[in-house]
């Protein structure tokens, strides 16, 4: 599933490709992805223009004229492309939005677990109301050690699941939570309420560094993720511990172990990452 760096890169590419373009027509080839596509199929978007594309957590918001926006979540296998009319429709491309420059904004999803919805943007809101309950953006100034420490005080779950809670901080999924905890020397099984302020400072600092570096590298391709131009993310070669169970720790040489937390496999180094 694309995490924050991957979605950020897709959003930047779509912002360049879509902003200012007028919609000629929309075609929907399947009744639903994770949610129904009927509202999109029935909406009259002809004549609307793309004003902006921005990210909130792992969602993209493509703002349109008329106080409307497309809300996109890539699920496990969503791929967005902007390509010429001449390219035939792929088997799992479910949405075509025809643009006035002769190209098509296409959305593909083999597993159909993505979201592609039309929402209103009343007043001066930058994001649809459905996103109001999302937590802090990890690359913004609001995400601080003091904030993270305060939010962790009553949390009984492990720190790995705490970092992946979108009501606390958005966009940090399994890959980047695993890497952040390793860089911070914190065992993913540690109870979040036991985090010290110093440990929160390490988590915030390393999360920001790792996410920013991943954005610069185009994200991480593990299985299905592709950028808008079809390229793969290059950050996979820089992963220190994710997916490396049984390998030697790059820091201390101990054998990397893994445990299931919240249904996700969490690699960690028993030598470098301590619960205390």
């Amino acid at each position: 599933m694309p995490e924050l760096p991957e979605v950020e890169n897709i959003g930047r590419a779509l912002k360049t490709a879509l902003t200012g373009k007028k919609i000629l027509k929309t075609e929907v080839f399947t009744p639903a992805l994770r949610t129904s596509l009927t509202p999109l199929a029935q909406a009259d978007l002809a004549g609307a223009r793309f004003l902006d594309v921005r990210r909130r957590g792992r969602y993209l918001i493509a703002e349109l004229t008329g106080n409307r926006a497309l809300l996109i979540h890539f699920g496990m296998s969503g791929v967005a492309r902007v390509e010429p009319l001449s390219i035939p429709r792929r088997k799992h491309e479910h949405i075509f939005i025809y643009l006035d420059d002769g190209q098509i904004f296409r959305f593909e999803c083999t597993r159909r677990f993505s979201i592609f919805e039309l929402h209103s943007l009343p007043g001066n809101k930058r994001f649809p109301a459905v996103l109001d309950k999302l937590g802090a953006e990890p690359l913004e100034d609001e995400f601080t050690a003091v904030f993270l420490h305060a939010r962790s005080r009553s949390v009984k779950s492990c720190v790995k699941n705490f970092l992946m809670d979108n009501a606390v901080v958005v966009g940090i999924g399994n890959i980047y939570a695993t890497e952040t905890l390793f860089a911070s020397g914190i065992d993913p099984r540690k109870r979040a309420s036991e985090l010290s302020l110093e440990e929160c400072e390490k988590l915030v600092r390393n999360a920001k560094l790792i996410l920013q570096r991943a954005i610069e590298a185009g994200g991480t391709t593990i299985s299905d993720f592709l950028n808008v131009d079809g390229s793969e993310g290059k950050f996979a070669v820089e992963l220190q511990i994710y997916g490396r169970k049984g390998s030697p720790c790059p820091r201390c040489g101990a054998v990397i172990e893994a445990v299931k937390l919240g249904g996700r496999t969490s690699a960690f180094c028993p030598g470098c990452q301590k619960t205390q």
Side-chain angles (χ1 to χ4, degrees):
M1 177 186 295
E3 298 182 23
L4 186 153
E6 293 77 48
V7 179
E8 178 69 22
N9 275 285
I10 296 169
R12 291 179 181 183
L14 289 179
K15 182 182 179 75
T16 299
L18 296 177
T19 300
K21 304 296 173 54
K22 183 169 70 174
I23 297 174
L24 301 181
K25 67 175 181 176
T26 301
E27 281 188 295
V28 176
F29 303 103
T30 191
L33 295 175
R34 192 190 310 182
T35 59
S36 174
L37 291 176
T38 300
L40 178 66
Q42 294 179 345
D44 182 11
L45 296 183
R49 288 189 182 273
F50 285 94
L51 298 178
D52 192 17
V53 178
R54 47 186 173 266
R55 182 189 56 78
R56 179 75 171 101
R58 281 182 276 191
Y59 291 88
L60 286 184
I61 299 88
E63 184 180 356
L64 304 172
T65 53
N67 295 319
R68 293 184 291 182
L70 298 172
L71 178 68
I72 304 168
H73 189 286
F74 294 89
M76 299 296 293
S77 57
V79 178
R81 299 181 178 92
V82 180
E83 295 178 326
L85 286 163
S86 58
I87 297 178
R89 177 184 165 233
R90 299 170 181 85
K91 178 180 178 180
H92 297 289
E93 286 185 327
H94 304 298
I95 300 162
F96 274 15
I97 297 178
Y98 293 80
L99 307 173
D100 63 347
D101 64 349
Q103 300 206 93
I104 302 174
F105 175 26
R106 306 158 176 250
F107 193 76
E108 177 184 30
C109 186
T110 56
R111 304 186 193 185
R112 301 194 185 192
F113 201 60
S114 301
I115 292 172
F116 203 107
E117 298 175 340
L118 182 65
H119 286 260
S120 63
L121 282 178
N124 294 319
K125 284 182 68 70
R126 300 185 71 243
F127 305 107
V130 70
L131 303 184
D132 285 350
K133 293 184 179 180
L134 290 182
E137 285 284 343
L139 295 178
E140 299 296 332
D141 292 342
E142 61 184 326
F143 185 56
T144 66
V146 172
F147 164 83
L148 194 65
H149 188 256
R151 290 297 301 267
S152 70
R153 293 307 80 198
S154 60
V155 177
K156 296 180 180 180
S157 64
C158 66
V159 61
K160 169 74 178 302
N161 292 347
F162 174 63
L163 284 179
M164 293 176 60
D165 184 350
N166 283 315
V168 177
V169 57
V170 293
I172 301 179
N174 195 31
I175 296 172
Y176 298 108
T178 298
E179 292 293 306
T180 295
L181 286 163
F182 175 69
S184 304
I186 298 172
D187 192 306
R189 300 167 295 182
K190 181 170 184 169
R191 182 176 288 193
S193 61
E194 297 175 351
L195 288 169
S196 67
L197 182 59
E198 181 182 3
E199 288 175 318
C200 288
E201 289 172 347
K202 291 180 182 179
L203 288 171
V204 169
R205 179 174 65 252
N206 287 315
K208 290 178 183 286
L209 288 172
I210 290 168
L211 290 171
Q212 190 59 54
R213 175 59 195 132
I215 290 171
E216 293 169 357
T220 301
T221 293
I222 298 298
S223 56
D224 295 314
F225 168 68
L226 293 174
N227 281 304
V228 174
D229 62 0
S231 65
E232 296 185 349
K234 304 300 191 295
F235 191 68
V237 299
E238 298 186 32
L239 295 175
Q240 297 294 296
I241 195 166
Y242 178 86
R244 300 189 185 279
K245 177 185 176 182
S247 300
C249 170
R251 184 181 296 149
C252 74
V255 176
I256 295 171
E257 299 179 6
V259 64
K260 284 278 189 179
L261 296 172
R264 297 295 191 95
T265 300
S266 298
F268 69 98
C269 173
C272 294
Q273 292 172 265
K274 305 294 185 180
T275 56
Q276 301 298 325

